[in-house]
Amino acid sequence: MFYQFLPYFLIGAAAAVTCCTYKLSKLTNQMSQDELSISKEISSSETTSKIFCHYIKNEILALESELELLPVSEEGKDILEDMKKRYNTLYNRIDEIHRSTKTSALNLKLYSLQDLLEGALEEFSVDLSDVKVTKNFPRESVIAFVDPVYMGQSLHNIIRNSIDAMEETPKEKKTLICTVKTNSSWVWIEIEDSGKGISKENLAQIFLPFYSSHPYSKHWGIGLTLTYKIVHAHEGKIDVISTPGSGTSVRIILPLVQKSVSL
């Protein structure tokens, strides 16, 4: 009886495998199209941004120069100083965007990802003073081939976003979990916060240039765009999983080079 039904079993198994293969292929294709769409939007935005930033920076400098020539009464000096501060703030923000759109070569070197993450956390020691920070690091030092400056900037951007997302979270519930995992081919750097989370609609837009859920006076929406570019320049990938009201997890996946023996 077993051999009698074996052909039907094999046909059913083959159909199931074919169906799964088709669905996997369709999902992979959709992910590739999404990444290509994001990359195209970033690329087209950068071309426009370079021209726009260069023009605006020149105009700000010209206005500042004219401002210096204005006759100002004693009462108006405070107003003048306030205007200068506003000009400087605007110039620095525009300059930040301009620098982020310039193409720079990566200076790749073997580097401990634990050290890279520790350095990024140290930069926010004051901001994280009321946050419970958990580090899930393997005993062995995980070495990857990265540009420590650029990859460090990526981690800086992610941690900055996590801190901002937890602004309204009660102090006793503020947590930041930093994890490094490895397998035979890849390394995961994961940063998980207990912030307000991101809606499904907004999640698809977070890497797009100038997208921000915060007022533009605080964020211009270029941090995650730059992070996306840096990770992909390292032949890696970045995934974001978020639940509104529960927090966000950002995972950077990079090729693993080697593991050293001790930490």
Side-chain angles (χ1 to χ4, degrees), residues 40-232:
K40 283 183 176 179
E41 290 200 41
I42 291 175
S43 180
S44 61
S45 174
E46 283 180 351
T47 303
T48 306
S49 297
K50 287 177 184 177
I51 300 170
F52 172 77
C53 290
H54 181 73
Y55 172 77
I56 294 297
K57 283 167 66 178
N58 287 341
E59 289 299 308
I60 291 173
L61 291 174
L63 288 170
E64 274 193 301
S65 298
E66 292 180 13
L67 196 63
E68 294 288 346
L69 300 176
L70 288 176
V72 181
S73 63
E74 196 66 31
E75 295 80 12
K77 285 186 178 181
D78 290 340
I79 299 175
L80 181 63
E81 287 302 314
D82 185 59
M83 290 179 67
K84 287 181 180 179
K85 288 179 182 179
R86 288 176 179 269
Y87 276 130
N88 287 332
T89 300
L90 180 58
Y91 183 90
N92 290 335
R93 287 190 175 277
I94 293 291
D95 187 54
E96 183 182 358
I97 297 172
H98 197 194
R99 285 185 284 109
S100 73
T101 59
K102 293 180 180 179
T103 304
S104 300
L106 295 177
N107 182 22
L108 299 174
K109 58 180 68 175
L110 295 175
Y111 209 88
S112 165
L113 295 183
Q114 287 98 320
D115 290 347
L116 204 58
L117 202 45
E118 289 277 16
L121 289 170
E122 181 62 30
E123 293 177 17
F124 293 103
S125 57
V126 176
D127 301 87
L128 292 170
S129 59
D130 62 344
V131 179
K132 181 183 178 183
V133 179
T134 302
K135 302 170 188 175
N136 297 325
F137 295 166
R139 292 175 62 87
E140 298 174 332
S141 181
V142 178
I143 307 298
F145 208 45
V146 299
D147 184 313
V149 175
Y150 277 94
M151 190 55 67
Q153 181 62 49
S154 293
L155 298 176
H156 176 99
N157 294 340
I158 294 170
I159 295 171
R160 174 77 271 168
N161 283 1
S162 292
I163 293 171
D164 291 341
M166 292 189 287
E167 277 183 345
E168 300 175 7
T169 303
K171 183 177 179 180
E172 65 275 7
K173 294 185 178 180
K174 288 185 177 183
T175 61
L176 189 72
I177 303 173
C178 301
T179 304
V180 175
K181 293 182 180 179
T182 65
N183 64 14
S184 58
S185 304
W186 302 93
V187 58
W188 286 261
I189 304 175
E190 191 167 358
I191 299 173
E192 182 180 355
D193 66 62
S194 59
K196 61 184 178 180
I198 307 169
S199 67
K200 186 177 180 181
E201 296 75 24
N202 292 339
L203 198 59
Q205 306 180 63
I206 59 173
F207 295 121
L208 300 182
F210 306 112
Y211 171 79
S212 177
S213 59
H214 296 274
Y216 280 112
S217 59
K218 291 186 176 181
H219 293 276
W220 280 37
I222 61 172
L224 284 181
T225 300
L226 181 58
T227 299
Y228 182 93
K229 288 170 53 183
I230 291 171
V231 172
H232 278 257

